[in-house]
Amino acid sequence: MNTRTLSLALVVAAIALGAALPAAAQKKGGTLTYTFHPEPTAMSTISTTAVPVSLVASKIYESLLDYEGPGMKPLPGLAESWTVSKDNLVYTFKLRKGVTWHDGKPFTSEDVKFSIEKVVTPFHSRGKTYFGEVSAIETPDAHTVVFRLKSPVPYFLRAFQASESPIMPMHGFTAEEIKEGKIRTAKIMQAPVGTGPFKLKEWKKGSHVILERHPGYWKAGKPYLDQVVLRVIPDGAARAIAIEKGEVDLAPMSGLPPAEAQRLGRLPGITASQEGNEGLGPIMWLEVNNRSKPLADVAVRQAISLAIDRKRLVDVIWYGQGKPASGPIVSGNPNHYDKKLGPLEYNVDKANKLLDAAGYKRGKDGVRFKLTQNFLPYGEEWVRQAEFIKQELRKIGIQVETQSLDMGGWLKRIYTDWNYDFTSNFTHNYPDPTIGVQRAFISTNIRRGATFSNSMDYANVKLDALFVKAAQTADGPARNKIWEEIQAILRNDLPVIFLMEISYTHVWNKRVHGLITNGVSMYSSWDSVWVD
Amino acid sequence: MRGGTVRFVLRRLAQLVPVVLAIAALNFALAKMAPGDAADILAGQMGHATLEFTQQLRREFGLDLPIVEQFLAYMGRTARLDLGVSVIQQQPVIELIADRLPATLLLMVTALVLAIATGVALGVAAARRQGTWIDNLISVSALLVYATPAFWLGLMLIVFFSIRLDLLPSGGMMQIGVAQTAVGKVLDVARHLILPAATLGLFYAAVYARLMRASMLEVYGLDFITTARAKGLSEGVIAWTHALRNALLPVVTLAGMQVGHLLGGSVLIETVFGWPGLGRLVFDALVQRDLNLLLGILFVSSVVVVLVNLVVDLIYGLLDPRITHK
Amino acid sequence: MNALRVFWRRFRNNRAAVGGLVALVAVVALSVAGPMFYPVDPFDMVGQPSVPPGGEQILGTDVAGRDLLAGLIHGGRVSLLIGFMASLAATLVGLVLGAVAGYYGGRVDDVIMRTTEFFLTIPSFVLAVVLVAIFSPTILHITAAIAVVSWPSVARLARAEFLAHRDREYVQGCRAIGMPDREIILLQILPNALPPVIVVSSLMVATAILTESGLSFLGLGDPNQVSWGYMIGVARSVLRTAWWMAAIPGAMIVVTVLAINLVGEGLNDALNPRLKQR
């Protein structure tokens, strides 16, 4: 071959190679610094599933499955593959071989059985919801786990998220901790040992958490990042400054005051995103006490719903970070949301006519009746919203007196005393509406002292039956039909006034890539995140 | 005199124990009146907790025991100086307090020193030049500052020095992320300390200035000053040595009595400046019904106040004979 | 009547006090008559958010587009109402307890003094926060909470006064002629003990207003009312871009509190002239 042919061959080879390389190459190495307040109190979601812990623990621990996209499609995780029996009562998982814990010991099926049976089910806040129907967990060999269910659980495969069912090492607990059930306060909660892409390097309370990459991680070549660092910055404005100056890369889960998030998102080097939350499905409504007149009257509730300008609520009070709600399920949920629905109607005239027709005449001062309003004491925006609702309801002749309570007082008043007219409330759909939606509206969950339960005293026999059926039908078109009916009934009955799909806003520096992977992106392992 | 003082101190220290325990008991009663408990808060934080789960949390943290039992357990622990564990933060209360105490002490001591130094200096200057424009300026400024809400003053200082002039940080105790030498760290904290300490201290500086001025004027009218002047001492020496020593007493007494007040003021200042101290911690503990932490901080605070009162009484006792026997 | 005229003459001599009185009357007038001349609801979203002063709304709007001037007017009502009522309540309670403690002495005195000591070991602002959090923030509860943390200082002062007067000759004389205790306390000692209490009481109004604004700033104010402290708290999130939103209500607090302090000092000079002539 002469020189010319050689150079030509080389050029062709170079072009061919260049075409095969991705346009933007993931860079290996680097540190991702994020900030959130308050700081975590433990390193595992068994201790608490509060946001700060879910954020950090999901990098350290994993579960059997991984998930993709807003629909949360299950992918192999610690389990390489799985099969489900025809009656949906037996789930068999084949575990990955060669996985090691952060301390080097091998990961086996014993760890899975122990975690689900002795740790997750009894102590995780949603443990019984996911695994309450499990009658037995078998480990025929070191890499196989079999779950036997008493009755079908349509969302069973969605239970295996890192924050929902973290697999923890059996050898990480002392015999005494296991025997006495001192799991929530076990030492491993502060000194974690997981299988995830990052392990704990340093934790200085009040200051920072440093996670470093786990070199023995089972996904070859991952994680891309060397370190994930949490900087504790208690003040919201200071967090925003830190993002703006580039001292911090990411402020997830609405950690910044919404005005700041909106402002920063408009800057060239910063992204403010509301994606990656579909698996949490945060939704906000006015919880209405159906016991008290006149709220027991559905016409009154419908009138209230008609009187609220949800678009203005989103734009002015929440700085555009949300969407008007159309019902109990968030519109971003590709699996169960009824796409035929639109946002709830806004029509003040219609509301007034409805109240007139239902017999609630205006007095001489224009007031039809008085109501007391409570609100979730989560911060400034919730106070603004309460003030907004008060003004909106004045337009239809309802005089509202707002009562301010702190969290302890609010929980007691709404869920233990049931002593309220209406209150703003905020909850999640979670990856399946049976988990997130049912508990608010099924009549069997009218229980004193249970937070975020059916405090409204709403009991609809037809709806109850639909819920039960939906909880036992496998995911698919048949189940979706049931959820369509449920959404229609709730939209009409309005036991709560659905207001808004609140967004979790994540603000990050554009040098960070690969953050949005699925419906619980911030609670994912970030093994494929990379920085410039 | 010596023996009497020692006996006085010992007697007061012995009284301290029942007093502090009584305060601890009353604090418990007060805190328990707040609706809801830490189990509710934790369940609320997790967003989805069944009734059984909340009750389980209550059992795990001993919150389901009869209130008398809880009270006795708390008093027993407190008497042993065991402040328990924070249910919300999963850490011993002592550690949490020890973590934040230095920041609060730093803030309060700096503010107090600033306040006394400024107040005394201005008060003496105003008294020496009574009736002149300097006196009026100082008096009016003191009045203005005294009428200003500290948290608002803090915000305005942030707007001016931090936002407009970009001279000082707007909050926090240290700059995040930057690795620093020991000297660098000290300077960094000092920079962050200026605005909050000044804000907290200015109010008291105004109080002390006016008090100092009135006290100095009173002392000036006393015989021993005339004697000093007759001896030929200069006005400056008279002011800063003879008069000052005697006029200082009321200011010191007042400063001691205001330690408790300073602690209260630090809640607002620490909130405005994001200063990681006990003031903000006690507020957070209350909102989260973190009883052990709340009661622990109140306990430490009451011990401090009682001790400071004792010290002030001692100082008063020591200094007083000199004035009455002039 | 003559005493009143003497008092007024003394008060009038203090120009600063008179100035303070004028300013205070102006603030009170603004708060009382303001809503009649400017009937804008401070909670109504009348404009765009964060509009600077000088536009359609004279003083601009806050983060939710609400009129700042209306907020100022209504804030005055809340602050003044709470300030005066809390001080009044604290004075009444403190006076009664202090008088009893000072006059009777002994066990009663011990009990009352121990109680005031307890109140003085908890930082008063922290105690106010705890009380308001327990009972939920309403104007009534906030007033009560501020009164609860303020009465001890009045009690101590009243006690000192009654203690001092108890052994004076004129009181001994009254006792000798068989005058009942109640009459001695109310008709004989009280008029003499009152002047310093009045001064402390009036200065307490200022402290009460500052405390209330601090509580509102922390989010512990009555949610159905706009107060100056509340306005400052709302403005905190936009301090960077709209600093006037916090500056204006704060300035109102300074003016009002300063006016009250000046009046209080004038009262002191007028009621206790012998103290001034030292």
Side-chain angles (χ1 to χ4, degrees), chain A residues 94-119:
Chain A
K94 289 273 183 238
L95 302 178
R96 208 171 286 275
K97 297 190 177 63
V99 177
T100 54
W101 294 98
H102 292 155
D103 59 5
K105 300 212 169 74
F107 159 76
T108 70
S109 56
E110 277 304 301
D111 295 313
V112 176
K113 179 175 155 83
F114 167 76
S115 292
I116 304 296
E117 226 169 55
K118 293 279 189 312
V119 178

PDB file of all heavy atoms in Angstrom, chain A residues 94-119:
ATOM      1  N   LYS A  94     -34.138 -12.641  39.588  1.00  0.00           N
ATOM      2  CA  LYS A  94     -32.786 -13.200  39.496  1.00  0.00           C
ATOM      3  C   LYS A  94     -31.815 -12.064  39.790  1.00  0.00           C
ATOM      4  O   LYS A  94     -31.778 -11.055  39.065  1.00  0.00           O
ATOM      5  CB  LYS A  94     -32.522 -13.733  38.086  1.00  0.00           C
ATOM      6  CG  LYS A  94     -33.293 -14.991  37.777  1.00  0.00           C
ATOM      7  CD  LYS A  94     -32.488 -16.229  38.254  1.00  0.00           C
ATOM      8  CE  LYS A  94     -33.227 -17.502  37.891  1.00  0.00           C
ATOM      9  NZ  LYS A  94     -33.516 -18.304  39.071  1.00  0.00           N
ATOM     10  N   LEU A  95     -31.044 -12.221  40.856  1.00  0.00           N
ATOM     11  CA  LEU A  95     -30.167 -11.131  41.264  1.00  0.00           C
ATOM     12  C   LEU A  95     -28.860 -11.136  40.486  1.00  0.00           C
ATOM     13  O   LEU A  95     -28.383 -12.174  40.055  1.00  0.00           O
ATOM     14  CB  LEU A  95     -29.854 -11.245  42.760  1.00  0.00           C
ATOM     15  CG  LEU A  95     -31.063 -11.234  43.681  1.00  0.00           C
ATOM     16  CD1 LEU A  95     -30.627 -11.408  45.131  1.00  0.00           C
ATOM     17  CD2 LEU A  95     -31.835  -9.936  43.509  1.00  0.00           C
ATOM     18  N   ARG A  96     -28.284  -9.980  40.371  1.00  0.00           N
ATOM     19  CA  ARG A  96     -27.013  -9.807  39.677  1.00  0.00           C
ATOM     20  C   ARG A  96     -25.887 -10.454  40.480  1.00  0.00           C
ATOM     21  O   ARG A  96     -25.886 -10.391  41.704  1.00  0.00           O
ATOM     22  CB  ARG A  96     -26.744  -8.305  39.552  1.00  0.00           C
ATOM     23  CG  ARG A  96     -25.914  -7.879  38.404  1.00  0.00           C
ATOM     24  CD  ARG A  96     -25.949  -6.360  38.319  1.00  0.00           C
ATOM     25  NE  ARG A  96     -27.240  -5.896  37.818  1.00  0.00           N
ATOM     26  CZ  ARG A  96     -27.535  -5.796  36.520  1.00  0.00           C
ATOM     27  NH1 ARG A  96     -26.626  -6.120  35.615  1.00  0.00           N
ATOM     28  NH2 ARG A  96     -28.717  -5.373  36.146  1.00  0.00           N
ATOM     29  N   LYS A  97     -24.940 -11.039  39.762  1.00  0.00           N
ATOM     30  CA  LYS A  97     -23.822 -11.649  40.471  1.00  0.00           C
ATOM     31  C   LYS A  97     -22.661 -10.681  40.536  1.00  0.00           C
ATOM     32  O   LYS A  97     -22.502  -9.800  39.695  1.00  0.00           O
ATOM     33  CB  LYS A  97     -23.374 -12.928  39.753  1.00  0.00           C
ATOM     34  CG  LYS A  97     -24.447 -13.998  39.725  1.00  0.00           C
ATOM     35  CD  LYS A  97     -23.873 -15.335  39.227  1.00  0.00           C
ATOM     36  CE  LYS A  97     -24.905 -16.439  39.270  1.00  0.00           C
ATOM     37  NZ  LYS A  97     -26.063 -16.225  38.384  1.00  0.00           N
ATOM     38  N   GLY A  98     -21.826 -10.836  41.540  1.00  0.00           N
ATOM     39  CA  GLY A  98     -20.603 -10.036  41.633  1.00  0.00           C
ATOM     40  C   GLY A  98     -20.815  -8.650  42.201  1.00  0.00           C
ATOM     41  O   GLY A  98     -19.925  -7.801  42.144  1.00  0.00           O
ATOM     42  N   VAL A  99     -21.976  -8.389  42.798  1.00  0.00           N
ATOM     43  CA  VAL A  99     -22.196  -7.066  43.403  1.00  0.00           C
ATOM     44  C   VAL A  99     -21.625  -7.067  44.815  1.00  0.00           C
ATOM     45  O   VAL A  99     -21.795  -8.030  45.563  1.00  0.00           O
ATOM     46  CB  VAL A  99     -23.702  -6.745  43.454  1.00  0.00           C
ATOM     47  CG1 VAL A  99     -23.932  -5.411  44.137  1.00  0.00           C
ATOM     48  CG2 VAL A  99     -24.293  -6.753  42.063  1.00  0.00           C
ATOM     49  N   THR A 100     -20.912  -5.991  45.153  1.00  0.00           N
ATOM     50  CA  THR A 100     -20.364  -5.918  46.517  1.00  0.00           C
ATOM     51  C   THR A 100     -20.893  -4.696  47.240  1.00  0.00           C
ATOM     52  O   THR A 100     -21.215  -3.675  46.635  1.00  0.00           O
ATOM     53  CB  THR A 100     -18.822  -5.813  46.496  1.00  0.00           C
ATOM     54  OG1 THR A 100     -18.462  -4.707  45.651  1.00  0.00           O
ATOM     55  CG2 THR A 100     -18.185  -7.077  45.994  1.00  0.00           C
ATOM     56  N   TRP A 101     -20.958  -4.856  48.558  1.00  0.00           N
ATOM     57  CA  TRP A 101     -21.313  -3.715  49.398  1.00  0.00           C
ATOM     58  C   TRP A 101     -20.133  -2.759  49.462  1.00  0.00           C
ATOM     59  O   TRP A 101     -19.021  -3.111  49.082  1.00  0.00           O
ATOM     60  CB  TRP A 101     -21.659  -4.197  50.809  1.00  0.00           C
ATOM     61  CG  TRP A 101     -22.892  -5.039  50.841  1.00  0.00           C
ATOM     62  CD1 TRP A 101     -22.945  -6.401  50.861  1.00  0.00           C
ATOM     63  CD2 TRP A 101     -24.234  -4.579  50.817  1.00  0.00           C
ATOM     64  NE1 TRP A 101     -24.247  -6.820  50.860  1.00  0.00           N
ATOM     65  CE2 TRP A 101     -25.067  -5.722  50.838  1.00  0.00           C
ATOM     66  CE3 TRP A 101     -24.835  -3.310  50.801  1.00  0.00           C
ATOM     67  CZ2 TRP A 101     -26.451  -5.638  50.835  1.00  0.00           C
ATOM     68  CZ3 TRP A 101     -26.218  -3.236  50.794  1.00  0.00           C
ATOM     69  CH2 TRP A 101     -27.015  -4.391  50.808  1.00  0.00           C
ATOM     70  N   HIS A 102     -20.384  -1.564  49.990  1.00  0.00           N
ATOM     71  CA  HIS A 102     -19.317  -0.574  50.099  1.00  0.00           C
ATOM     72  C   HIS A 102     -18.177  -1.070  50.975  1.00  0.00           C
ATOM     73  O   HIS A 102     -17.051  -0.593  50.856  1.00  0.00           O
ATOM     74  CB  HIS A 102     -19.861   0.745  50.670  1.00  0.00           C
ATOM     75  CG  HIS A 102     -20.797   1.451  49.724  1.00  0.00           C
ATOM     76  ND1 HIS A 102     -21.765   2.319  50.130  1.00  0.00           N
ATOM     77  CD2 HIS A 102     -20.901   1.411  48.376  1.00  0.00           C
ATOM     78  CE1 HIS A 102     -22.432   2.787  49.086  1.00  0.00           C
ATOM     79  NE2 HIS A 102     -21.926   2.243  48.009  1.00  0.00           N
ATOM     80  N   ASP A 103     -18.478  -2.035  51.863  1.00  0.00           N
ATOM     81  CA  ASP A 103     -17.394  -2.551  52.713  1.00  0.00           C
ATOM     82  C   ASP A 103     -16.734  -3.797  52.106  1.00  0.00           C
ATOM     83  O   ASP A 103     -15.953  -4.469  52.757  1.00  0.00           O
ATOM     84  CB  ASP A 103     -17.909  -2.860  54.122  1.00  0.00           C
ATOM     85  CG  ASP A 103     -19.039  -3.889  54.106  1.00  0.00           C
ATOM     86  OD1 ASP A 103     -19.348  -4.436  53.014  1.00  0.00           O
ATOM     87  OD2 ASP A 103     -19.609  -4.142  55.173  1.00  0.00           O
ATOM     88  N   GLY A 104     -17.107  -4.085  50.858  1.00  0.00           N
ATOM     89  CA  GLY A 104     -16.422  -5.169  50.154  1.00  0.00           C
ATOM     90  C   GLY A 104     -17.112  -6.521  50.259  1.00  0.00           C
ATOM     91  O   GLY A 104     -16.826  -7.422  49.473  1.00  0.00           O
ATOM     92  N   LYS A 105     -18.014  -6.698  51.205  1.00  0.00           N
ATOM     93  CA  LYS A 105     -18.665  -8.002  51.364  1.00  0.00           C
ATOM     94  C   LYS A 105     -19.650  -8.236  50.212  1.00  0.00           C
ATOM     95  O   LYS A 105     -20.182  -7.283  49.635  1.00  0.00           O
ATOM     96  CB  LYS A 105     -19.388  -8.055  52.708  1.00  0.00           C
ATOM     97  CG  LYS A 105     -18.465  -7.853  53.918  1.00  0.00           C
ATOM     98  CD  LYS A 105     -18.956  -8.642  55.121  1.00  0.00           C
ATOM     99  CE  LYS A 105     -17.946  -8.688  56.239  1.00  0.00           C
ATOM    100  NZ  LYS A 105     -17.819  -7.417  56.965  1.00  0.00           N
ATOM    101  N   PRO A 106     -19.893  -9.493  49.886  1.00  0.00           N
ATOM    102  CA  PRO A 106     -20.755  -9.785  48.729  1.00  0.00           C
ATOM    103  C   PRO A 106     -22.240  -9.584  49.037  1.00  0.00           C
ATOM    104  O   PRO A 106     -22.697  -9.827  50.155  1.00  0.00           O
ATOM    105  CB  PRO A 106     -20.455 -11.259  48.432  1.00  0.00           C
ATOM    106  CG  PRO A 106     -19.963 -11.824  49.717  1.00  0.00           C
ATOM    107  CD  PRO A 106     -19.309 -10.705  50.478  1.00  0.00           C
ATOM    108  N   PHE A 107     -22.967  -9.183  48.019  1.00  0.00           N
ATOM    109  CA  PHE A 107     -24.410  -8.969  48.105  1.00  0.00           C
ATOM    110  C   PHE A 107     -25.119 -10.268  47.725  1.00  0.00           C
ATOM    111  O   PHE A 107     -24.804 -10.867  46.698  1.00  0.00           O
ATOM    112  CB  PHE A 107     -24.780  -7.830  47.161  1.00  0.00           C
ATOM    113  CG  PHE A 107     -26.222  -7.796  46.732  1.00  0.00           C
ATOM    114  CD1 PHE A 107     -27.211  -7.349  47.589  1.00  0.00           C
ATOM    115  CD2 PHE A 107     -26.588  -8.217  45.453  1.00  0.00           C
ATOM    116  CE1 PHE A 107     -28.534  -7.318  47.191  1.00  0.00           C
ATOM    117  CE2 PHE A 107     -27.925  -8.191  45.046  1.00  0.00           C
ATOM    118  CZ  PHE A 107     -28.904  -7.735  45.914  1.00  0.00           C
ATOM    119  N   THR A 108     -26.045 -10.716  48.596  1.00  0.00           N
ATOM    120  CA  THR A 108     -26.758 -11.960  48.283  1.00  0.00           C
ATOM    121  C   THR A 108     -28.252 -11.806  48.513  1.00  0.00           C
ATOM    122  O   THR A 108     -28.716 -10.774  49.004  1.00  0.00           O
ATOM    123  CB  THR A 108     -26.281 -13.125  49.180  1.00  0.00           C
ATOM    124  OG1 THR A 108     -26.749 -12.872  50.518  1.00  0.00           O
ATOM    125  CG2 THR A 108     -24.771 -13.239  49.187  1.00  0.00           C
ATOM    126  N   SER A 109     -28.982 -12.855  48.193  1.00  0.00           N
ATOM    127  CA  SER A 109     -30.435 -12.827  48.346  1.00  0.00           C
ATOM    128  C   SER A 109     -30.844 -12.704  49.814  1.00  0.00           C
ATOM    129  O   SER A 109     -31.937 -12.228  50.118  1.00  0.00           O
ATOM    130  CB  SER A 109     -31.051 -14.080  47.731  1.00  0.00           C
ATOM    131  OG  SER A 109     -30.473 -15.238  48.325  1.00  0.00           O
ATOM    132  N   GLU A 110     -29.982 -13.159  50.713  1.00  0.00           N
ATOM    133  CA  GLU A 110     -30.270 -13.023  52.150  1.00  0.00           C
ATOM    134  C   GLU A 110     -30.466 -11.565  52.529  1.00  0.00           C
ATOM    135  O   GLU A 110     -31.330 -11.227  53.336  1.00  0.00           O
ATOM    136  CB  GLU A 110     -29.111 -13.601  52.981  1.00  0.00           C
ATOM    137  CG  GLU A 110     -29.168 -15.111  53.180  1.00  0.00           C
ATOM    138  CD  GLU A 110     -30.463 -15.549  53.809  1.00  0.00           C
ATOM    139  OE1 GLU A 110     -30.778 -15.095  54.930  1.00  0.00           O
ATOM    140  OE2 GLU A 110     -31.200 -16.313  53.168  1.00  0.00           O
ATOM    141  N   ASP A 111     -29.631 -10.704  51.947  1.00  0.00           N
ATOM    142  CA  ASP A 111     -29.743  -9.270  52.228  1.00  0.00           C
ATOM    143  C   ASP A 111     -31.108  -8.743  51.767  1.00  0.00           C
ATOM    144  O   ASP A 111     -31.729  -7.928  52.447  1.00  0.00           O
ATOM    145  CB  ASP A 111     -28.627  -8.500  51.511  1.00  0.00           C
ATOM    146  CG  ASP A 111     -27.247  -8.853  52.044  1.00  0.00           C
ATOM    147  OD1 ASP A 111     -27.089  -8.882  53.280  1.00  0.00           O
ATOM    148  OD2 ASP A 111     -26.344  -9.092  51.216  1.00  0.00           O
ATOM    149  N   VAL A 112     -31.570  -9.231  50.606  1.00  0.00           N
ATOM    150  CA  VAL A 112     -32.850  -8.763  50.082  1.00  0.00           C
ATOM    151  C   VAL A 112     -33.985  -9.199  51.004  1.00  0.00           C
ATOM    152  O   VAL A 112     -34.842  -8.402  51.398  1.00  0.00           O
ATOM    153  CB  VAL A 112     -33.082  -9.298  48.658  1.00  0.00           C
ATOM    154  CG1 VAL A 112     -34.462  -8.890  48.163  1.00  0.00           C
ATOM    155  CG2 VAL A 112     -32.011  -8.778  47.715  1.00  0.00           C
ATOM    156  N   LYS A 113     -33.954 -10.491  51.360  1.00  0.00           N
ATOM    157  CA  LYS A 113     -35.023 -11.010  52.231  1.00  0.00           C
ATOM    158  C   LYS A 113     -35.042 -10.260  53.550  1.00  0.00           C
ATOM    159  O   LYS A 113     -36.081  -9.817  54.037  1.00  0.00           O
ATOM    160  CB  LYS A 113     -34.805 -12.509  52.465  1.00  0.00           C
ATOM    161  CG  LYS A 113     -35.836 -13.150  53.386  1.00  0.00           C
ATOM    162  CD  LYS A 113     -35.612 -14.683  53.456  1.00  0.00           C
ATOM    163  CE  LYS A 113     -36.160 -15.275  54.737  1.00  0.00           C
ATOM    164  NZ  LYS A 113     -37.604 -15.543  54.680  1.00  0.00           N
ATOM    165  N   PHE A 114     -33.850 -10.088  54.117  1.00  0.00           N
ATOM    166  CA  PHE A 114     -33.752  -9.385  55.398  1.00  0.00           C
ATOM    167  C   PHE A 114     -34.271  -7.958  55.271  1.00  0.00           C
ATOM    168  O   PHE A 114     -35.056  -7.494  56.103  1.00  0.00           O
ATOM    169  CB  PHE A 114     -32.287  -9.390  55.872  1.00  0.00           C
ATOM    170  CG  PHE A 114     -32.018  -8.438  56.998  1.00  0.00           C
ATOM    171  CD1 PHE A 114     -32.422  -8.736  58.283  1.00  0.00           C
ATOM    172  CD2 PHE A 114     -31.382  -7.223  56.771  1.00  0.00           C
ATOM    173  CE1 PHE A 114     -32.208  -7.847  59.325  1.00  0.00           C
ATOM    174  CE2 PHE A 114     -31.146  -6.341  57.809  1.00  0.00           C
ATOM    175  CZ  PHE A 114     -31.571  -6.643  59.086  1.00  0.00           C
ATOM    176  N   SER A 115     -33.823  -7.250  54.233  1.00  0.00           N
ATOM    177  CA  SER A 115     -34.206  -5.842  54.085  1.00  0.00           C
ATOM    178  C   SER A 115     -35.713  -5.676  53.983  1.00  0.00           C
ATOM    179  O   SER A 115     -36.309  -4.853  54.672  1.00  0.00           O
ATOM    180  CB  SER A 115     -33.559  -5.235  52.841  1.00  0.00           C
ATOM    181  OG  SER A 115     -32.169  -5.142  52.995  1.00  0.00           O
ATOM    182  N   ILE A 116     -36.323  -6.473  53.083  1.00  0.00           N
ATOM    183  CA  ILE A 116     -37.758  -6.291  52.875  1.00  0.00           C
ATOM    184  C   ILE A 116     -38.544  -6.731  54.099  1.00  0.00           C
ATOM    185  O   ILE A 116     -39.440  -6.031  54.584  1.00  0.00           O
ATOM    186  CB  ILE A 116     -38.239  -7.052  51.629  1.00  0.00           C
ATOM    187  CG1 ILE A 116     -37.448  -6.631  50.397  1.00  0.00           C
ATOM    188  CG2 ILE A 116     -39.737  -6.842  51.425  1.00  0.00           C
ATOM    189  CD1 ILE A 116     -37.632  -5.185  50.007  1.00  0.00           C
ATOM    190  N   GLU A 117     -38.178  -7.892  54.639  1.00  0.00           N
ATOM    191  CA  GLU A 117     -38.944  -8.470  55.749  1.00  0.00           C
ATOM    192  C   GLU A 117     -38.760  -7.721  57.060  1.00  0.00           C
ATOM    193  O   GLU A 117     -39.716  -7.383  57.745  1.00  0.00           O
ATOM    194  CB  GLU A 117     -38.488  -9.914  55.948  1.00  0.00           C
ATOM    195  CG  GLU A 117     -39.621 -10.897  56.120  1.00  0.00           C
ATOM    196  CD  GLU A 117     -39.107 -12.313  56.045  1.00  0.00           C
ATOM    197  OE1 GLU A 117     -38.198 -12.637  56.826  1.00  0.00           O
ATOM    198  OE2 GLU A 117     -39.614 -13.077  55.202  1.00  0.00           O
ATOM    199  N   LYS A 118     -37.491  -7.477  57.416  1.00  0.00           N
ATOM    200  CA  LYS A 118     -37.227  -6.983  58.761  1.00  0.00           C
ATOM    201  C   LYS A 118     -37.035  -5.470  58.823  1.00  0.00           C
ATOM    202  O   LYS A 118     -37.065  -4.884  59.898  1.00  0.00           O
ATOM    203  CB  LYS A 118     -35.945  -7.655  59.305  1.00  0.00           C
ATOM    204  CG  LYS A 118     -36.076  -9.144  59.550  1.00  0.00           C
ATOM    205  CD  LYS A 118     -36.748  -9.385  60.882  1.00  0.00           C
ATOM    206  CE  LYS A 118     -36.735 -10.834  61.331  1.00  0.00           C
ATOM    207  NZ  LYS A 118     -37.133 -11.820  60.356  1.00  0.00           N
ATOM    208  N   VAL A 119     -36.776  -4.859  57.674  1.00  0.00           N
ATOM    209  CA  VAL A 119     -36.459  -3.436  57.718  1.00  0.00           C
ATOM    210  C   VAL A 119     -37.524  -2.587  57.018  1.00  0.00           C
ATOM    211  O   VAL A 119     -38.157  -1.735  57.638  1.00  0.00           O
ATOM    212  CB  VAL A 119     -35.067  -3.172  57.097  1.00  0.00           C
ATOM    213  CG1 VAL A 119     -34.743  -1.694  57.102  1.00  0.00           C
ATOM    214  CG2 VAL A 119     -33.999  -3.941  57.853  1.00  0.00           C
TER     215      VAL A 119
END
